[in-house]
Amino acid sequence: MTEHVNVVVPRHTQCGEGPYWDPESRTVVWVDIIGKQALRTTIGGDTTVIDYPEMVGAAAPRVGGGLVLAVESGFALLDATGEVTSWVDVLTPPLRMNDAKVDPAGRYWAGACAMDFSEGKGGLWRLDENLSAELVLDGLTQPNGIGWSPDGTTMYLAETQARQLLSYGFDPVTSNILSGPSVVAEGFADYPDGLCVDRDGHIWLAEYGGASCTRSPPTATWCGASGSTPLRPRRVPSWATTSTPSWSPPPAWASTRRPIRSPGPSSRSPGTAPPGSQSPCSRADPGTTQPPLPTDTAVT
């Protein structure tokens, strides 16, 4: 079978992230982190924009309409018109919220990191239904893609700078982490970023700098990770792939960021941010100028 990856929204976002299918409105909710925007896109590609005064790491639909946002200072709730109704400030500079997802019980999890990805300065936060925010895991660096197994008993988390995919035992009713972390995969050639888990338990992971989303069963070692075998990477028409498919009938959606061109080979160690860079989407520079990809790429 041949699959085609097409550019549905040719919007020049500074850091497009986190597509999230909202079945009630039949739209995809996503964000531009650096552009400080939450966006909604229809199946036909029409996009509406909500501006916010801080960087927006992620967004998800709320029951009854509106959005919950993971923002620079913590969390914000918006009503159906885009007006801010509540906010929860838990972070101060140089920290900010990054990727975020809703767990099986409806609680909102968000990873925090330092703007320069300082090692161990980040953490994983949980926002409860009463707007109580709790730091559940500390000592992380750049917690990124979050997802759960179909039965809700395993939580997956990408640690981008460490180039690891982690898993934790999880209680899907109380939203408590029971065990872990265990390393599912490590040693990626590129940077593991956003992820999601489909109904069959396959993990889909965006690899920043690799122009692809890769699918793997949760028990398999990963394509590109140490000791692995190749596993069907889906080529994406941007090397800066930031997040993975959000399924809607019929297509799946993924996000990218505006490419950063490197002037040449890098002398930095892997896993370090480019010198002087404060971009929340920056990972270690791939080190070479990235060739352009076609706007319609067929993968098999």
Side-chain angles (χ1 to χ4, degrees), residues 4 9 26 50 55 65 102 107 109 115 122 134 172 191 211 220 226 251-252 292:
H4 291 273
V9 186
R26 295 184 59 81
I50 300 172
M55 290 185 182
V102 179
R107 299 178 178 94
W109 291 73
M115 284 292 297
E134 179 183 353
Y191 287 84
S226 57

Side-chain angles (χ1 to χ4, degrees), residues 50 52 59 61 70 84 89 165 175 192 216 230 232 239 244 283-284 287 291 293:
I50 300 172
Y52 194 81
V84 178
D89 293 339
L165 176 64
S175 298
S216 173
R232 297 202 68 194
W239 68 267
T244 47
R283 280 82 182 171
L293 291 171

Side-chain angles (χ1 to χ4, degrees), residues 9 20-31 38-42 45-50 60-62 65-67 79-80:
V9 186
Y20 199 117
W21 172 247
D22 179 7
E24 289 190 10
S25 64
R26 295 184 59 81
T27 60
V28 175
V29 176
W30 55 297
V31 303
L39 306 98
R40 277 189 184 270
T41 297
T42 67
D46 296 325
T47 300
T48 57
V49 178
I50 300 172
R62 299 170 59 195
L67 299 172
D79 64 19

Side-chain angles (χ1 to χ4, degrees), residues 100-101 103 107-110 124-126 136 146 148 170 175:
K101 287 284 179 66
D103 75 11
R107 299 178 178 94
Y108 198 45
W109 291 73
L124 191 63
W125 289 79
R126 182 185 62 211
V136 180
I146 308 169
W148 285 266
F170 194 81
S175 298

